[in-house]
Amino acid sequence: MQLFELMRYRRSIRKYKDQQIARCDLEKIIEAGLYAPSAGGGQRAAIIALRNQALCQKVGQLNIARFDRQQLAGSYVSSEQPSIIDDPSLKSGFYGAPTVCMVLCPKNFLYSIPDAFCCAENMVLAATELGISSCIVARGEDTFAGEAGAALLREWKVPDSYVVRCFVLLGYCAGAYPAAKPRKDGRSLIIE
């Protein structure tokens, strides 16, 4: 696909087939993330990929455990691809995705969050190009805030100076691929 076609086609997928993505595709997606823009060209973002379904489920449960609906700007996402906002019965913030990538950046760096989400955006675009569905999920800091999460970070030898900023879910869409939502008017302004 051409870049603009790819960006228009990509959707956030929250229903996944029980089918793992190929490791070579995962490596390409990670490479795309590592080529994302970064503040001052510092390349501070790091990626940890989970390809173990039970571990993805465990971390997904940690992700949803501290979810606070009071901090939401909206209350509805999708009937085709419901989020934890739409369906409180969901027990994992990762929606059964067979692969989950964690994007980490330095805790005390001013541009840590923008760097992480630039990395995640590159990853979801690369995934779409490869025919793999994806979704960016936030709440990385909350996911690992408790002892169970902290223990996992220690096990994975994540330096104390780094924090998980977001996740990129990867897999294959279960059901029909959703259509684009109409774009809202009034979201851009060009000043000459």
Side-chain angles (χ1 to χ4, degrees), residues 35-98:
Y35 271 90
S38 60
Q43 301 180 37
R44 293 168 189 87
I47 301 166
I48 296 174
L50 306 176
R51 285 176 44 93
N52 175 302
Q53 188 71 28
L55 191 52
C56 289
Q57 181 68 14
K58 178 180 179 177
V59 178
Q61 289 170 341
L62 292 175
N63 177 265
I64 204 171
R66 296 175 181 262
F67 180 61
D68 181 4
R69 293 178 184 284
Q70 301 303 317
Q71 295 187 17
L72 295 173
S75 59
Y76 179 75
V77 176
S78 170
S79 59
E80 294 176 286
Q81 293 286 326
S83 80
I84 59 173
I85 295 167
D86 304 317
D87 186 354
S89 72
L90 292 170
K91 302 298 181 208
S92 170
F94 297 162
Y95 309 102

Side-chain angles (χ1 to χ4, degrees), residues 81-143:
Q81 293 286 326
S83 80
I84 59 173
I85 295 167
D86 304 317
D87 186 354
S89 72
L90 292 170
K91 302 298 181 208
S92 170
F94 297 162
Y95 309 102
T99 298
V100 175
C101 294
M102 299 176 286
V103 181
L104 303 92
C105 282
K107 282 182 188 176
N108 297 317
F109 178 60
L110 180 61
Y111 301 107
S112 179
I113 293 171
D115 279 3
F117 281 88
C118 283
C119 179
E121 177 71 7
N122 269 24
M123 293 173 75
V124 300
L125 290 174
T128 304
E129 176 70 22
L130 295 168
I132 296 169
S133 297
S134 63
C135 186
I136 298 173
V137 173
R139 300 184 316 277
E141 298 90 340
D142 290 345
T143 301

Side-chain angles (χ1 to χ4, degrees), residues 1-13 125 127-129 131-133 173 177-180:
M1 283 187 223
Q2 296 295 320
L3 180 60
F4 281 94
E5 180 185 1
L6 185 77
M7 289 188 291
R8 288 182 189 110
Y9 179 76
R10 192 211 66 80
R11 304 282 177 274
S12 292
I13 299 302
L125 290 174
T128 304
E129 176 70 22
I132 296 169
S133 297
C173 182
Y177 197 77

